Amino acid sequence: MTEKLSPRAILDKLVSFPTVSHDTNLPLIEWVQAYLAGHGITARQHPHETDPAKAALFAHVGPDIEGAVVLSGHTDVVPVAGQPWSTDPFTVVEKDGKLFGRGTCDMKGFDALAIWALVEGHYAGLSRPLQLALSYDEEIGCTGAAPLIVSMNKYLPKGSAVIVGEPSMMGAVTGHKGGTGFKVHVRGFEVHSSLMHTGVNAIMYGAKLIDWANEMNIENRANDPTAIAATFEPPWTTVHVGTIEGGTAHNITALDCHFGLDFRFVPGESRADWVARAKAKAADIEAEMQAVVPETYIDMQEFFSVPPLTPEEDGAAESLVRRLTGDNASRVVSYGTEGGHFQEAGYSTVICGPGDIAQAHQPDEFLTVAQFDAGHDFMQKLLAACT
């Protein structure tokens, strides 16, 4: 039998793997699989559909029945390049009551606690099973969650309550906005800018779609929010452009313009409707372009889609977390998580994990020792509730 590791020892190991989203996470996944196997727990990998350097992992302990509590975390982290770290980001450094390291807060702290709980649960004689779900590519649009869930449902009895361990200061978060992002390519036609009426400036036509985003934000802000929307900050769907590039020279109409266009929509609004509105506006602009030069176009490629997490009435996952934490506050967030994918797949879902989201993605990211201990206490209570 492999030696049982403490949550802190597991955290140290997880952080040592530099699982930045554009790199491999396989060494981490293989280590977790081997560690669980050393305790007699079978864990399955779900390989990335196109990238052989990435995989997800899931496991089940306790009776082979439905109704498990699923502990859900992601294994990837955001880059550290260009950030002014004062410690090695891939070594956990404890100082002043804080555990510094990339991913300690978002969200390898929870992952370590979940792995610890799975091993403890294996030896505890559970009456209600526990499951572990570790994904890839959460940080680039939660793209790994949906295929992981499909694979879990193929091999494991279906769980009934999912706890997504994103940092929430160990409070229950019951809702978040959905998100959809597009990579937009506007293809124009180059001419000298003195004859711009005979060309198609990709940047200037792209700006029309960006200005539509501004108009939608003004319109959405002016509308009276629904009851669910009113719980969010801001209480409306937002349309955002964060990067743009294009053009060759100041005196040439731009041949190309590339930018990202994304939506963060409140629960209750239709993702399909927002996508249709954006594509309809792009089609109108494209028609203007093609009236000048027919071979010009606007291409929109979706690169992420995150379902919203909608607050559940008497949700099993929320009730469980509130019972274990004593937390009765109502919380929703505007960022997305993998929780929406689990809820869309029929799981009762809640977000609850150690740490402050304000630390996520920051240089010198940290998780306080107090929050890590609070997460450990939560897992001990969860094990008792499942025994």
Side-chain angles (χ1 to χ4, degrees):
M1 182 182 72
T2 301
E3 177 189 1
K4 289 169 68 173
L5 299 179
S6 67
R8 172 59 195 277
I10 298 172
L11 175 62
D12 288 353
K13 190 66 179 180
L14 296 183
V15 171
S16 74
F17 296 105
T19 53
V20 176
S21 299
H22 55 65
D23 295 325
T24 182
N25 75 333
L26 281 182
L28 182 152
I29 291 294
E30 290 170 351
W31 180 85
V32 175
Q33 187 174 34
Y35 176 67
L36 294 179
H39 291 283
I41 301 170
T42 299
R44 289 182 176 271
Q45 290 189 29
H46 173 76
H48 191 289
E49 282 72 11
T50 59
D51 186 349
K54 294 180 180 179
L57 178 142
F58 54 91
H60 176 109
V61 298
D64 193 28
I65 58 174
E66 295 187 350
V69 178
V70 183
L71 302 175
S72 165
H74 62 80
T75 61
D76 59 322
V77 297
V78 297
V80 299
Q83 291 189 332
W85 282 76
S86 57
T87 63
D88 177 358
F90 299 110
T91 300
V92 178
V93 175
E94 183 173 348
K95 184 173 62 174
D96 299 327
K98 300 173 182 177
L99 302 171
F100 292 89
R102 173 57 87 218
T104 52
C105 178
D106 182 21
M107 59 180 299
K108 291 180 177 179
F110 178 84
D111 293 348
L113 293 165
I115 293 165
W116 175 86
L118 206 73
V119 172
E120 294 296 315
H122 176 64
Y123 293 110
L126 300 177
S127 59
R128 182 180 186 180
L130 286 179
Q131 292 179 356
L132 175 70
L134 298 178
S135 69
Y136 55 78
D137 287 355
E138 189 274 348
E139 296 291 5
I140 56 175
C142 298
T143 58
L148 167 61
I149 294 167
V150 171
S151 192
M152 288 175 64
N153 286 334
K154 181 178 178 181
Y155 291 103
L156 301 182
K158 187 167 183 177
S160 61
V162 176
I163 301 172
V164 179
E166 292 283 0
S168 70
M169 297 296 287
M170 294 310 302
V173 172
T174 59
H176 65 64
K177 290 185 177 183
T180 294
F182 291 89
K183 294 179 180 178
V184 181
H185 175 204
V186 183
R187 180 71 169 186
F189 186 80
E190 290 182 314
V191 297
H192 193 280
S193 59
S194 65
L195 298 173
M196 62 179 292
H197 66 292
T198 64
V200 174
N201 189 316
I203 292 176
M204 297 183 73
Y205 278 97
K208 293 189 176 188
L209 187 56
I210 295 172
D211 194 45
W212 172 82
N214 289 325
E215 292 171 0
M216 291 302 98
N217 287 328
I218 293 170
E219 179 181 306
N220 291 348
R221 184 170 188 165
N223 291 335
D224 291 331
T226 64
I228 293 179
T231 63
F232 288 87
E233 176 58 37
W236 62 82
T237 292
T238 57
V239 192
H240 177 252
V241 175
T243 61
I244 184 169
E245 61 178 16
T248 304
H250 77 279
N251 59 351
I252 303 174
T253 58
L255 178 63
D256 293 291
C257 179
H258 297 269
F259 56 92
L261 179 70
D262 65 71
F263 301 83
R264 293 189 182 272
F265 53 92
V266 295
E269 292 192 6
S270 168
R271 171 196 166 278
D273 286 349
W274 276 110
V275 170
R277 292 174 73 178
K279 289 188 173 180
K281 183 62 178 180
D284 289 344
I285 298 169
E286 184 180 69
E288 293 180 35
M289 296 163 56
Q290 292 178 347
V292 182
V293 179
E295 58 265 34
T296 58
Y297 59 83
I298 298 178
D299 180 61
M300 297 177 64
Q301 295 294 325
E302 184 177 87
F303 69 98
F304 78 88
S305 180
V306 181
L309 180 65
T310 303
E312 303 169 6
E313 186 173 348
D314 299 321
E318 177 186 351
S319 296
L320 173 63
V321 165
R322 294 198 187 283
R323 187 165 68 250
L324 298 179
T325 62
D327 171 40
N328 291 314
S330 296
R331 300 180 187 84
V332 297
V333 294
S334 292
Y335 57 82
T337 77
E338 294 175 331
H341 283 290
F342 277 100
Q343 189 178 66
E344 194 173 64
Y347 293 84
S348 176
T349 305
V350 69
I351 300 165
C352 183
D356 186 341
I357 192 63
Q359 295 304 317
H361 305 182
Q362 298 299 308
D364 287 345
E365 176 183 347
F366 68 82
L367 174 66
T368 66
V369 173
Q371 274 291 294
F372 195 51
D373 289 345
H376 189 198
D377 180 64
F378 175 87
M379 291 299 178
Q380 290 173 312
K381 291 178 179 178
L382 175 61
L383 288 169
C386 292
T387 300

